[in-house]
Amino acid sequence: MKQDAKSKLALNTYTKLMRGTESVTARVGRKMSDAGLTISQFGVLEALLHKGPMCQRDVASKILKSTGNITLVIDNLEKQGLVQRERSLEDRRYCTVLLTGKGRELIVATFAEVEAAIIAEMGVLTDEEQQTLGKLCKKLGLREG
Amino acid sequence: MKQDAKSKLALNTYTKLMRGTESVTARVGRKMSDAGLTISQFGVLEALLHKGPMCQRDVASKILKSTGNITLVIDNLEKQGLVQRERSLEDRRYCTVLLTGKGRELIVATFAEVEAAIIAEMGVLTDEEQQTLGKLCKKLGLREG
DNA sequence: CTGAAACGATTAAATGTCAAACTATTTTTT
DNA sequence: AAAAAATAGTTTGACATTTAATCGTTTCAG
């Protein structure tokens, strides 16, 4: 294949990857916003649900956002009574963040919705296609830079 | 395959898709921020470069953002002297947005950088893999909802 | 033990994002 | 032609995001 055609293929593939992903993200994201949650808020609650209480730094690394960001997201979740901060007694630099009852209820229900939406989205691909897609995406993500 | 395993596969594929795409986006996006442009700003300039002057509504639909958003992005580009607004004379509701010389220079150079980065990113996949990835992503994006 | 370095969290400033309300202009209806 | 509907753009308010600066706390080295 000529270099020029190779470039076109690469750009074309990139575009399809972006469009497809955005499209899926938008539809799955709607389940979150239907529940009154942003994607980040959902991510925080989901991490707390599945990994248990943790400090803000760990939350940040779990959802791949900056710590400055997490402060605000948790502020907003706290205002809504979905999570609670507890300053650690042993090391007062740490804030442990934990779900409230209300928060747990909401994230359990919303997670189920989101999970179903993801399964529906991926359902347009056969199992084999999904495996292939996963493999290719993993390859793309590898060279962490 | 059992339903449970099917669900796991779907969630797993979704995660890989998101991670891989984020990873690529971050690295390609660095070329834009190196040039002092945000992703949105790049998108606007690129549209103007390749499609020629257009009104804000068309810019918005081209980069898939809300019109309220575009107003601000173009405000910021205008402040930097990269684009220029011209109120249409026939229909005064329309603003035609066009590149300045400075804007054209910047986007031509930056686009080349970004294009090279994309080609490099996709280069970890063989041509055949790229074709497969493109096809699968297209399938995922289809059911516009 | 004390000062320096490291670390977790917070804050601030710049930009982006959307949705919704609003303005100005044009087109359509009656 | 006047009223109503549609359209392009702007503004506003709430949230997100990053980077960099700052605050308070803890650890560690001398």
mmCIF file of all heavy atoms in Angstrom, chain A residues 15-44:
data_model
loop_
_atom_site.group_PDB
_atom_site.id
_atom_site.type_symbol
_atom_site.label_atom_id
_atom_site.label_comp_id
_atom_site.label_asym_id
_atom_site.label_seq_id
_atom_site.Cartn_x
_atom_site.Cartn_y
_atom_site.Cartn_z
ATOM 1 N N THR A 15 -10.980 8.702 12.793
ATOM 2 C CA THR A 15 -12.284 9.370 12.802
ATOM 3 C C THR A 15 -13.387 8.412 13.220
ATOM 4 O O THR A 15 -14.226 8.749 14.073
ATOM 5 C CB THR A 15 -12.603 9.932 11.406
ATOM 6 O OG1 THR A 15 -11.553 10.811 11.030
ATOM 7 C CG2 THR A 15 -13.918 10.684 11.414
ATOM 8 N N LYS A 16 -13.371 7.235 12.656
ATOM 9 C CA LYS A 16 -14.416 6.266 13.004
ATOM 10 C C LYS A 16 -14.332 5.890 14.482
ATOM 11 O O LYS A 16 -15.349 5.733 15.161
ATOM 12 C CB LYS A 16 -14.281 5.017 12.135
ATOM 13 C CG LYS A 16 -14.633 5.255 10.677
ATOM 14 C CD LYS A 16 -15.039 3.951 9.997
ATOM 15 C CE LYS A 16 -15.380 4.167 8.536
ATOM 16 N NZ LYS A 16 -14.179 4.077 7.662
ATOM 17 N N LEU A 17 -13.108 5.743 14.964
ATOM 18 C CA LEU A 17 -12.923 5.415 16.381
ATOM 19 C C LEU A 17 -13.520 6.506 17.268
ATOM 20 O O LEU A 17 -14.261 6.229 18.216
ATOM 21 C CB LEU A 17 -11.430 5.249 16.687
ATOM 22 C CG LEU A 17 -11.056 5.039 18.153
ATOM 23 C CD1 LEU A 17 -11.621 3.732 18.689
ATOM 24 C CD2 LEU A 17 -9.531 5.074 18.336
ATOM 25 N N MET A 18 -13.212 7.743 16.934
ATOM 26 C CA MET A 18 -13.717 8.864 17.738
ATOM 27 C C MET A 18 -15.232 8.964 17.673
ATOM 28 O O MET A 18 -15.907 9.084 18.693
ATOM 29 C CB MET A 18 -13.093 10.186 17.247
ATOM 30 C CG MET A 18 -11.595 10.290 17.478
ATOM 31 S SD MET A 18 -11.168 10.133 19.238
ATOM 32 C CE MET A 18 -9.674 9.153 19.159
ATOM 33 N N ARG A 19 -15.758 8.910 16.455
ATOM 34 C CA ARG A 19 -17.208 9.026 16.278
ATOM 35 C C ARG A 19 -17.951 7.902 16.993
ATOM 36 O O ARG A 19 -18.928 8.122 17.694
ATOM 37 C CB ARG A 19 -17.564 9.012 14.786
ATOM 38 C CG ARG A 19 -17.147 10.249 14.040
ATOM 39 C CD ARG A 19 -18.229 11.326 14.091
ATOM 40 N NE ARG A 19 -17.664 12.666 13.880
ATOM 41 C CZ ARG A 19 -17.588 13.292 12.716
ATOM 42 N NH1 ARG A 19 -18.063 12.721 11.633
ATOM 43 N NH2 ARG A 19 -17.056 14.491 12.628
ATOM 44 N N GLY A 20 -17.474 6.695 16.795
ATOM 45 C CA GLY A 20 -18.137 5.546 17.400
ATOM 46 C C GLY A 20 -18.123 5.634 18.916
ATOM 47 O O GLY A 20 -19.141 5.407 19.574
ATOM 48 N N THR A 21 -16.974 5.985 19.442
ATOM 49 C CA THR A 21 -16.847 6.069 20.896
ATOM 50 C C THR A 21 -17.720 7.179 21.468
ATOM 51 O O THR A 21 -18.406 6.984 22.476
ATOM 52 C CB THR A 21 -15.378 6.312 21.276
ATOM 53 O OG1 THR A 21 -14.584 5.267 20.720
ATOM 54 C CG2 THR A 21 -15.206 6.327 22.779
ATOM 55 N N GLU A 22 -17.689 8.350 20.820
ATOM 56 C CA GLU A 22 -18.531 9.459 21.271
ATOM 57 C C GLU A 22 -19.999 9.060 21.289
ATOM 58 O O GLU A 22 -20.742 9.384 22.210
ATOM 59 C CB GLU A 22 -18.381 10.652 20.309
ATOM 60 C CG GLU A 22 -17.389 11.696 20.772
ATOM 61 C CD GLU A 22 -17.021 12.640 19.635
ATOM 62 O OE1 GLU A 22 -17.906 12.977 18.818
ATOM 63 O OE2 GLU A 22 -15.826 13.024 19.557
ATOM 64 N N SER A 23 -20.364 8.368 20.226
ATOM 65 C CA SER A 23 -21.746 7.957 20.069
ATOM 66 C C SER A 23 -22.168 7.044 21.224
ATOM 67 O O SER A 23 -23.216 7.247 21.857
ATOM 68 C CB SER A 23 -21.842 7.250 18.729
ATOM 69 O OG SER A 23 -23.144 6.938 18.418
ATOM 70 N N VAL A 24 -21.358 6.053 21.497
ATOM 71 C CA VAL A 24 -21.648 5.130 22.594
ATOM 72 C C VAL A 24 -21.643 5.877 23.933
ATOM 73 O O VAL A 24 -22.549 5.711 24.756
ATOM 74 C CB VAL A 24 -20.609 3.983 22.619
ATOM 75 C CG1 VAL A 24 -20.743 3.169 23.889
ATOM 76 C CG2 VAL A 24 -20.777 3.103 21.392
ATOM 77 N N THR A 25 -20.648 6.709 24.128
ATOM 78 C CA THR A 25 -20.541 7.465 25.379
ATOM 79 C C THR A 25 -21.774 8.328 25.610
ATOM 80 O O THR A 25 -22.282 8.409 26.728
ATOM 81 C CB THR A 25 -19.297 8.367 25.357
ATOM 82 O OG1 THR A 25 -18.147 7.553 25.151
ATOM 83 C CG2 THR A 25 -19.146 9.109 26.670
ATOM 84 N N ALA A 26 -22.243 8.958 24.549
ATOM 85 C CA ALA A 26 -23.404 9.828 24.688
ATOM 86 C C ALA A 26 -24.622 9.034 25.139
ATOM 87 O O ALA A 26 -25.341 9.443 26.045
ATOM 88 C CB ALA A 26 -23.690 10.525 23.359
ATOM 89 N N ARG A 27 -24.838 7.878 24.499
ATOM 90 C CA ARG A 27 -26.033 7.109 24.848
ATOM 91 C C ARG A 27 -25.939 6.502 26.236
ATOM 92 O O ARG A 27 -26.916 6.498 26.991
ATOM 93 C CB ARG A 27 -26.274 6.030 23.783
ATOM 94 C CG ARG A 27 -26.735 6.624 22.455
ATOM 95 C CD ARG A 27 -27.210 5.548 21.496
ATOM 96 N NE ARG A 27 -26.131 4.690 21.064
ATOM 97 C CZ ARG A 27 -25.504 4.787 19.890
ATOM 98 N NH1 ARG A 27 -25.862 5.722 19.035
ATOM 99 N NH2 ARG A 27 -24.550 3.958 19.567
ATOM 100 N N VAL A 28 -24.771 5.995 26.587
ATOM 101 C CA VAL A 28 -24.608 5.446 27.932
ATOM 102 C C VAL A 28 -24.688 6.569 28.967
ATOM 103 O O VAL A 28 -25.315 6.422 30.019
ATOM 104 C CB VAL A 28 -23.267 4.691 28.054
ATOM 105 C CG1 VAL A 28 -23.000 4.312 29.499
ATOM 106 C CG2 VAL A 28 -23.286 3.452 27.176
ATOM 107 N N GLY A 29 -24.071 7.705 28.614
ATOM 108 C CA GLY A 29 -24.069 8.847 29.531
ATOM 109 C C GLY A 29 -25.465 9.346 29.850
ATOM 110 O O GLY A 29 -25.709 9.895 30.918
ATOM 111 N N ARG A 30 -26.373 9.139 28.928
ATOM 112 C CA ARG A 30 -27.745 9.597 29.175
ATOM 113 C C ARG A 30 -28.360 8.893 30.375
ATOM 114 O O ARG A 30 -29.136 9.475 31.114
ATOM 115 C CB ARG A 30 -28.590 9.373 27.919
ATOM 116 C CG ARG A 30 -29.956 10.027 28.047
ATOM 117 C CD ARG A 30 -30.519 10.436 26.702
ATOM 118 N NE ARG A 30 -29.503 11.052 25.866
ATOM 119 C CZ ARG A 30 -29.398 10.846 24.556
ATOM 120 N NH1 ARG A 30 -30.244 10.045 23.944
ATOM 121 N NH2 ARG A 30 -28.468 11.450 23.861
ATOM 122 N N LYS A 31 -27.988 7.622 30.570
ATOM 123 C CA LYS A 31 -28.504 6.900 31.733
ATOM 124 C C LYS A 31 -28.047 7.570 33.025
ATOM 125 O O LYS A 31 -28.747 7.575 34.029
ATOM 126 C CB LYS A 31 -28.013 5.441 31.728
ATOM 127 C CG LYS A 31 -28.469 4.644 30.534
ATOM 128 C CD LYS A 31 -29.953 4.471 30.517
ATOM 129 C CE LYS A 31 -30.420 3.818 29.230
ATOM 130 N NZ LYS A 31 -31.879 3.812 29.093
ATOM 131 N N MET A 32 -26.840 8.113 32.975
ATOM 132 C CA MET A 32 -26.323 8.788 34.165
ATOM 133 C C MET A 32 -27.035 10.118 34.382
ATOM 134 O O MET A 32 -27.478 10.421 35.486
ATOM 135 C CB MET A 32 -24.815 9.022 34.015
ATOM 136 C CG MET A 32 -24.029 7.733 33.804
ATOM 137 S SD MET A 32 -22.263 8.025 33.545
ATOM 138 C CE MET A 32 -21.746 6.423 32.911
ATOM 139 N N SER A 33 -27.148 10.887 33.310
ATOM 140 C CA SER A 33 -27.784 12.192 33.487
ATOM 141 C C SER A 33 -29.267 12.028 33.810
ATOM 142 O O SER A 33 -29.844 12.864 34.510
ATOM 143 C CB SER A 33 -27.567 13.071 32.261
ATOM 144 O OG SER A 33 -28.063 12.450 31.115
ATOM 145 N N ASP A 34 -29.875 10.936 33.340
ATOM 146 C CA ASP A 34 -31.255 10.671 33.732
ATOM 147 C C ASP A 34 -31.359 10.533 35.251
ATOM 148 O O ASP A 34 -32.367 10.878 35.855
ATOM 149 C CB ASP A 34 -31.766 9.376 33.087
ATOM 150 C CG ASP A 34 -32.120 9.568 31.625
ATOM 151 O OD1 ASP A 34 -32.120 10.733 31.162
ATOM 152 O OD2 ASP A 34 -32.384 8.567 30.936
ATOM 153 N N ALA A 35 -30.286 10.012 35.840
ATOM 154 C CA ALA A 35 -30.283 9.828 37.297
ATOM 155 C C ALA A 35 -29.787 11.088 38.007
ATOM 156 O O ALA A 35 -29.608 11.097 39.227
ATOM 157 C CB ALA A 35 -29.408 8.639 37.668
ATOM 158 N N GLY A 36 -29.541 12.143 37.221
ATOM 159 C CA GLY A 36 -29.083 13.389 37.823
ATOM 160 C C GLY A 36 -27.597 13.399 38.141
ATOM 161 O O GLY A 36 -27.130 14.219 38.932
ATOM 162 N N LEU A 37 -26.861 12.470 37.522
ATOM 163 C CA LEU A 37 -25.424 12.390 37.788
ATOM 164 C C LEU A 37 -24.619 12.749 36.543
ATOM 165 O O LEU A 37 -25.013 12.420 35.435
ATOM 166 C CB LEU A 37 -25.046 10.969 38.206
ATOM 167 C CG LEU A 37 -25.630 10.452 39.522
ATOM 168 C CD1 LEU A 37 -25.290 8.985 39.705
ATOM 169 C CD2 LEU A 37 -25.119 11.284 40.689
ATOM 170 N N THR A 38 -23.501 13.421 36.748
ATOM 171 C CA THR A 38 -22.565 13.608 35.648
ATOM 172 C C THR A 38 -21.702 12.351 35.545
ATOM 173 O O THR A 38 -21.720 11.504 36.440
ATOM 174 C CB THR A 38 -21.642 14.804 35.909
ATOM 175 O OG1 THR A 38 -20.820 14.502 37.034
ATOM 176 C CG2 THR A 38 -22.439 16.061 36.187
ATOM 177 N N ILE A 39 -20.938 12.265 34.458
ATOM 178 C CA ILE A 39 -20.092 11.089 34.267
ATOM 179 C C ILE A 39 -19.089 10.959 35.412
ATOM 180 O O ILE A 39 -18.869 9.869 35.942
ATOM 181 C CB ILE A 39 -19.359 11.176 32.910
ATOM 182 C CG1 ILE A 39 -20.400 11.062 31.779
ATOM 183 C CG2 ILE A 39 -18.308 10.073 32.787
ATOM 184 C CD1 ILE A 39 -19.807 11.118 30.388
ATOM 185 N N SER A 40 -18.532 12.092 35.823
ATOM 186 C CA SER A 40 -17.554 12.046 36.920
ATOM 187 C C SER A 40 -18.203 11.632 38.231
ATOM 188 O O SER A 40 -17.639 10.847 38.993
ATOM 189 C CB SER A 40 -16.905 13.415 37.109
ATOM 190 O OG SER A 40 -16.077 13.701 36.029
ATOM 191 N N GLN A 41 -19.353 12.208 38.487
ATOM 192 C CA GLN A 41 -20.054 11.858 39.719
ATOM 193 C C GLN A 41 -20.366 10.372 39.742
ATOM 194 O O GLN A 41 -20.165 9.691 40.752
ATOM 195 C CB GLN A 41 -21.343 12.673 39.841
ATOM 196 C CG GLN A 41 -21.093 14.140 40.127
ATOM 197 C CD GLN A 41 -22.367 14.960 40.124
ATOM 198 O OE1 GLN A 41 -23.381 14.571 39.529
ATOM 199 N NE2 GLN A 41 -22.331 16.123 40.766
ATOM 200 N N PHE A 42 -20.834 9.869 38.607
ATOM 201 C CA PHE A 42 -21.099 8.436 38.515
ATOM 202 C C PHE A 42 -19.832 7.642 38.801
ATOM 203 O O PHE A 42 -19.852 6.669 39.566
ATOM 204 C CB PHE A 42 -21.631 8.075 37.117
ATOM 205 C CG PHE A 42 -21.849 6.609 36.922
ATOM 206 C CD1 PHE A 42 -23.044 6.021 37.295
ATOM 207 C CD2 PHE A 42 -20.851 5.817 36.374
ATOM 208 C CE1 PHE A 42 -23.249 4.660 37.122
ATOM 209 C CE2 PHE A 42 -21.046 4.453 36.205
ATOM 210 C CZ PHE A 42 -22.250 3.880 36.582
ATOM 211 N N GLY A 43 -18.727 8.079 38.205
ATOM 212 C CA GLY A 43 -17.463 7.381 38.396
ATOM 213 C C GLY A 43 -17.045 7.318 39.851
ATOM 214 O O GLY A 43 -16.593 6.276 40.343
ATOM 215 N N VAL A 44 -17.223 8.426 40.544
ATOM 216 C CA VAL A 44 -16.853 8.466 41.958
ATOM 217 C C VAL A 44 -17.729 7.514 42.768
ATOM 218 O O VAL A 44 -17.219 6.688 43.549
ATOM 219 C CB VAL A 44 -16.983 9.902 42.513
ATOM 220 C CG1 VAL A 44 -16.836 9.893 44.028
ATOM 221 C CG2 VAL A 44 -15.942 10.815 41.888
#
